[in-house]
Amino acid sequence: MGNEIDPFAWKNRASCRGKKTALFFEEHARGGYTTICPNCPVQSICLETALLYNLEGVWGGMSETKRNRKYNKEYREALRFDAQESGTYIEDYKL
């Protein structure tokens, strides 16, 4: 990745680090994440990243379904525009 900014560097400080990934996908997420996410030090950036990159599963303590209900397309586009302007958005970033 060279000198580019890693938009997921915050994950090293996440409370979910090392937890089973299945806990964070809706078919398995039967509330397991609700004990992990609320006190996570990076919860807000986690949620913002999910909105910015249109990620699947639970991010920032919110399921994909809840994020889609709460945050509309215009909000996500504005968030992406701001990140592009600040140079923190990487178009084809892969996890």
Side-chain angles (χ1 to χ4, degrees):
M1 205 184 286
N3 292 333
E4 293 179 12
I5 295 170
D6 181 359
F8 292 92
W10 54 265
K11 286 177 69 178
N12 293 326
R13 299 185 341 261
S15 297
C16 63
R17 186 171 184 214
K19 305 285 189 235
K20 291 183 180 180
T21 308
L23 287 174
F24 301 93
F25 287 90
E26 292 192 52
E27 64 270 11
H28 301 287
R30 307 247 183 249
Y33 63 90
T34 59
T35 59
I36 299 168
C37 298
N39 298 312
C40 181
V42 294
Q43 183 181 13
S44 60
I45 188 74
C46 180
L47 176 59
E48 186 175 300
T49 302
L51 293 169
L52 187 61
Y53 289 95
N54 221 13
L55 301 175
E56 296 177 0
V58 174
W59 292 81
M62 210 178 254
S63 70
E64 189 175 357
T65 302
K66 287 182 182 176
R67 286 193 313 271
N68 287 337
R69 263 189 257 142
K70 185 170 181 171
Y71 298 100
N72 62 28
K73 184 179 177 184
E74 290 78 21
Y75 177 85
R76 291 170 188 245
E77 287 173 356
L79 188 65
R80 190 168 293 118
F81 176 80
D82 289 345
Q84 287 169 334
E85 289 294 303
S86 68
T88 58
Y89 180 76
I90 299 171
E91 191 69 39
D92 295 318
Y93 191 83
K94 304 286 186 233
L95 289 175

